Amino acid sequence: MHKARILIGDDEIILTNTLNKILTDLGYSVTVCNKGQDILQHLAECKPDLVLLDIYLGEVNGIQLLNRMRSEGMAIPVIMMTAHSDVALAVRAMKEGAADFVVKPFDLNHLGVLIEKNLDYASLQTKVKLLEEE
């Protein structure tokens, strides 16, 4: 049984293959998308519980994708990834609705903690919403 569904959106194939293997070994169901323009389609198809999204996906900007996800009502947690250690970029990503922000290369243990924390938080939010509806 899988813990959760995770979509990885990044144009770095070596990174996505590595993350796919590690997260799959940890019990997650993983979908990889290496093309920014395909992310929204993959979101609709795999219905992930969490998204790992690169800020720079070739011609597509991850922050713009995040903004579009939020404007379409997608409330799933998104952890933004970037190779650029830019505080202003991190602040912008968080203002647009990112759950967290990591700079590559990142510590895999730290990423695992962020994933679990954000999945737990999303689960709690869902439970609260259900209780409020009752």
Side-chain angles (χ1 to χ4, degrees), residues 2-20:
H2 291 291
K3 288 182 177 181
R5 295 176 309 273
I6 297 176
L7 172 65
I8 303 170
D10 197 309
D11 57 351
E12 294 179 42
I13 294 171
I14 293 172
L15 174 68
T16 56
N17 287 344
T18 302
L19 286 174
N20 185 9

Side-chain angles (χ1 to χ4, degrees), residues 6-7 12 22 24 28-29 33 36 42-43 46 53 55 57 65 69 73 81 84 90 95 97 110 112 123 129:
I6 297 176
L7 172 65
E12 294 179 42
I22 291 167
T24 300
Y28 295 105
S29 174
C33 182
H42 278 80
L43 283 166
C46 75
L53 183 61
I55 287 184
L57 289 153
L65 278 173
M69 289 169 59
M81 305 181 294
H84 308 280
K95 282 183 178 178
H110 176 67
S123 174
K129 186 176 181 181

Side-chain angles (χ1 to χ4, degrees), residues 113-126:
V113 169
L114 290 179
I115 289 170
E116 281 297 314
K117 177 189 87 163
N118 282 289
L119 288 170
D120 289 346
Y121 184 74
S123 174
L124 287 173
Q125 282 184 314
T126 301

Side-chain angles (χ1 to χ4, degrees), residues 12-134:
E12 294 179 42
I13 294 171
I14 293 172
L15 174 68
T16 56
N17 287 344
T18 302
L19 286 174
N20 185 9
K21 168 110 177 71
I22 291 167
L23 294 174
T24 300
D25 288 350
L26 290 173
Y28 295 105
S29 174
V30 178
T31 301
V32 172
C33 182
N34 295 112
K35 295 184 179 176
Q37 61 268 27
D38 297 339
I39 296 252
L40 293 174
Q41 179 183 338
H42 278 80
L43 283 166
E45 291 171 2
C46 75
K47 297 184 180 10
D49 300 300
L50 182 134
V51 176
L52 296 173
L53 183 61
D54 192 14
I55 287 184
Y56 298 107
L57 289 153
E59 297 175 10
V60 178
N61 181 303
I63 292 178
Q64 291 171 338
L65 278 173
L66 173 64
N67 186 292
R68 184 153 172 211
M69 289 169 59
R70 295 302 183 237
S71 69
E72 292 180 10
M74 294 181 209
I76 56 177
V78 176
I79 299 174
M80 300 299 294
M81 305 181 294
T82 185
H84 308 280
S85 182
D86 182 344
V87 174
L89 198 57
V91 169
R92 181 168 171 226
M94 301 301 275
K95 282 183 178 178
E96 294 293 335
D100 267 301
F101 186 92
V102 293
V103 178
K104 301 175 201 173
F106 41 77
D107 178 284
L108 291 172
N109 290 325
H110 176 67
L111 182 63
V113 169
L114 290 179
I115 289 170
E116 281 297 314
K117 177 189 87 163
N118 282 289
L119 288 170
D120 289 346
Y121 184 74
S123 174
L124 287 173
Q125 282 184 314
T126 301
K127 289 175 184 173
V128 167
K129 186 176 181 181
L130 289 172
L131 287 171
E132 286 174 346
E133 289 173 0
E134 287 181 7

